[in-house]
Amino acid sequence: MDSSSGKTASILVHPCNSLLLTSFRGLRNGVYYGTKVRLLHALVMSILFKKGKISERIISILKLTYEHARNLGLYVFSYKFLTYILSKLQGKVSVLRKTSFNAFISGLICGYIIFRKETPINQQITLYLLSRIVIGGASKLAKIGKLPNRNFFALLTAICWGVVMFLFEDDPTTLQPSLKLSMDYLYRESDYYNDWKDFVPFKIPEFIVKLFKQ
């Protein structure tokens, strides 16, 4: 283990035994993780699909990153704070131990407060969670014997692809904007072409194109 890994490990072995410490640590991690995830995603989407001035693209990237980082940080902070309050009301004083019931109630309340506004960022986060809790919920039910032990992922995959293609062909306006944009590129734009360059799976430098025209 190198020295940097050793320093990280030594920091992380100290538990946050106060409400403020664990809440602000959660706020920091939420902001950091939200920034790391959204900044790269927004940058790639801007390069691939967005049009307009560079300054407008940069402003859009920063706005999306700020919203993701802010919402995730505030959610983690408020969730940790509320679960502690609920535990305190039940006579439990540890900030590190959380019951499943308290976790559900806190997640329900904080999720509604922080993510209730329907924005592209909140939609993506919610749909990201939805896909995973469907698999996780089915696995949990199978584990306790309430469902037969089957490959739920394969079944979910088939249903997802069938439904998304139906919605795309029937009424694409019902799809999340970034998903519709991606599907338009994959399925609508591929119905047409200008010349041979449109069949090459990467952008060809202009000087090579000119060589073929000579």
Side-chain angles (χ1 to χ4, degrees):
M1 180 182 292
D2 59 27
S3 59
S4 61
S5 298
K7 290 180 181 178
T8 301
S10 67
I11 293 173
L12 294 180
V13 296
H14 299 297
C16 298
N17 286 321
S18 76
L19 172 60
L20 289 180
L21 275 180
T22 187
S23 297
F24 277 105
R25 171 71 168 158
L27 173 64
R28 177 267 177 195
N29 282 11
V31 170
Y32 175 82
Y33 186 80
T35 300
K36 182 174 68 172
V37 171
R38 182 54 55 181
L39 183 63
L40 294 176
H41 179 270
L43 178 62
V44 170
M45 294 299 290
S46 177
I47 293 173
L48 291 178
F49 300 114
K50 292 294 180 70
K51 297 179 180 180
K53 299 179 180 178
I54 297 297
S55 59
E56 294 175 345
R57 295 190 191 185
I58 293 175
I59 291 173
S60 175
I61 291 170
L62 293 178
K63 284 182 177 180
L64 293 172
T65 302
Y66 169 74
E67 182 184 348
H68 194 144
R70 178 198 64 197
N71 287 2
L72 193 56
L74 288 175
Y75 175 81
V76 178
F77 178 89
S78 58
Y79 168 79
K80 283 177 168 285
F81 196 93
L82 185 55
T83 51
Y84 175 81
I85 297 301
L86 292 176
S87 296
K88 193 77 171 177
L89 292 174
Q90 297 167 352
K92 301 170 184 176
V93 295
S94 174
V95 298
L96 300 181
R97 293 180 179 271
K98 302 173 180 66
T99 67
S100 300
F101 177 77
N102 288 348
F104 174 75
I105 295 300
S106 299
L108 196 72
I109 295 173
C110 297
Y112 177 78
I113 293 173
I114 304 298
F115 294 104
R116 70 181 184 277
K117 186 176 181 181
E118 189 174 352
T119 67
I121 295 295
N122 288 346
Q123 275 191 347
Q124 288 177 6
I125 293 174
T126 300
L127 294 175
Y128 175 90
L129 292 175
L130 178 62
S131 63
R132 280 147 182 80
I133 64 174
V134 169
I135 292 292
S139 298
K140 176 65 176 179
L141 291 174
K143 185 181 293 185
I144 62 177
K146 299 298 183 181
L147 285 179
N149 192 8
R150 295 287 186 270
N151 185 356
F152 292 106
F153 179 76
L155 178 61
L156 180 64
T157 296
I159 294 173
C160 284
W161 281 102
V163 172
V164 75
M165 297 314 300
F166 171 81
L167 290 175
F168 179 66
E169 298 295 346
D170 184 69
D171 187 3
T173 61
T174 59
L175 297 175
Q176 201 269 343
S178 65
L179 174 60
K180 180 182 180 302
L181 198 63
S182 299
M183 295 186 73
D184 281 339
Y185 178 77
L186 292 170
Y187 303 105
R188 292 286 184 259
E189 290 189 27
S190 60
D191 286 338
Y192 306 91
Y193 74 97
N194 292 316
D195 51 37
W196 62 271
K197 298 193 302 296
D198 291 329
F199 293 92
V200 180
F202 54 85
K203 187 173 180 59
I204 302 176
E206 192 61 33
F207 73 91
I208 295 181
V209 176
K210 290 181 179 179
L211 288 177
F212 278 93
K213 288 183 177 180
Q214 291 178 355

